[in-house]
Amino acid sequence: GAVVSQHPSRVICKSGTSVKIECRSLDFQATTMFWYRQFPKQSLMLMATSNEGSKATYEQGVEKDKFLINHASLTLSTLTVTSAHPEDSSFYICSAKGQGRYEQYFGPGTRLTVT
Amino acid sequence: QQQVKQSPQSLIVQKGGISIINCAYENTAFDYFPWYQQFPGKGPALLIAIRPDVSEKKEGRFTISFNKSAKQFSLHIMDSQPGDSATYFCALGLAGNTGKLIFGQGTTLQVKP
């Protein structure tokens, strides 16, 4: 299967600071990338969809000014959590799919803890 | 409003047994039905997926059964092994291949040795 990486795997930051998470497709061109959030023992919640070179589309209730998404190339998308607060602490997971493909491959996730 | 209902929430199976997880959905706006396996602290891994033009798909010990008229699909894990112990999610892919997935609530499977 296709490989998607995320960096960092874990990050701890202070309240009020910003954190950037990278998502890379290592062996295929990801025309579309997705960002999810997952709370303990819960399902995955889609936050936003990004197509390479376009602005991200955010799901209802997700603040676009707080969760900045950039998809500048066919192999890289970034999620920046701005002015992080403890309630932003969560497991953030990206996924990627190629043009015309149905299969969506997930990264290993990033555990964000805001203190 | 939940568009997909996954059951059971948790499942305990003896080694060698069959694990069955079900998902039911409410409308016909979907044309891709994947199952994902997730271990604690890891991202979900695509296990097997089906399109609505077939009623069954088998890959190794994993089988998807799909009932389009009943709007249900299920995952069968044959000869379940302790290494299969994980959380399983079904998902619905919106028609048109946008890639947008709606996930089920998840099923925690424990396979006892």
Side-chain angles (χ1 to χ4, degrees):
Chain A
V3 181
V4 177
S5 70
Q6 269 184 253
H7 178 79
S9 57
R10 291 177 177 270
V11 58
I12 301 173
C13 70
K14 292 187 181 300
S15 186
T17 62
S18 296
V19 173
K20 180 185 283 189
I21 303 169
E22 289 187 352
C23 175
R24 293 182 185 273
S25 58
L26 299 185
D27 53 2
F28 69 103
Q29 293 187 326
T31 49
T32 309
M33 286 185 162
F34 306 85
W35 287 94
Y36 293 81
R37 185 173 180 176
Q38 186 178 35
F39 291 106
K41 299 192 184 302
Q42 292 191 21
S43 189
L44 289 84
M45 283 176 30
L46 179 65
M47 298 175 65
T49 302
S50 73
N51 291 295
E52 185 261 340
S54 302
K55 286 187 178 180
T57 302
Y58 291 81
E59 294 299 302
Q60 190 173 8
V62 177
E63 299 175 58
K64 63 179 181 181
D65 294 330
K66 181 168 186 62
F67 299 99
L68 302 179
I69 292 171
N70 184 279
H71 190 170
S73 78
L74 286 171
T75 58
L76 174 65
S77 176
T78 59
L79 167 68
T80 301
V81 183
T82 62
S83 186
H85 291 282
E87 57 266 31
D88 298 324
S89 298
S90 189
F91 192 50
Y92 292 87
I93 319 173
C94 71
S95 69
K97 70 183 283 290
Q99 177 75 29
R101 306 288 302 187
Y102 280 88
E103 299 84 0
Q104 192 172 136
Y105 298 96
F106 283 79
T110 297
R111 175 75 59 193
L112 170 64
T113 304
V114 185
T115 60
Chain B
Q1 181 183 0
Q2 279 184 342
Q3 297 200 60
V4 57
K5 292 184 180 179
Q6 184 173 341
S7 63
Q9 185 175 359
S10 62
L11 182 61
I12 300 175
V13 173
Q14 290 294 129
K15 178 182 175 181
I18 303 173
S19 304
I20 302 174
I21 305 170
N22 302 296
C23 276
Y25 58 100
E26 296 186 345
N27 65 53
T28 57
F30 310 105
D31 68 354
Y32 177 64
F33 305 88
W35 285 91
Y36 284 86
Q37 177 190 58
Q38 186 179 31
F39 293 104
K42 306 295 184 183
L46 179 62
L47 202 56
I48 188 172
I50 199 167
R51 298 286 314 286
D53 51 344
V54 297
S55 60
E56 185 173 284
K57 183 175 181 180
K58 182 175 180 179
E59 290 183 359
R61 295 185 295 112
F62 302 96
T63 300
I64 296 181
S65 295
F66 180 74
N67 187 328
K68 187 175 181 179
S69 60
K71 300 190 190 67
Q72 295 177 349
F73 59 111
S74 60
L75 174 69
H76 295 234
I77 306 174
M78 312 299 286
D79 187 26
S80 299
Q81 299 296 312
D84 296 331
S85 299
T87 300
Y88 293 82
F89 293 96
C90 66
L92 311 175
L94 281 175
N97 197 12
T98 62
K100 185 170 177 176
L101 295 177
I102 298 171
F103 279 84
Q105 296 76 21
T107 296
T108 302
L109 170 65
Q110 182 184 358
V111 181
K112 290 195 168 182

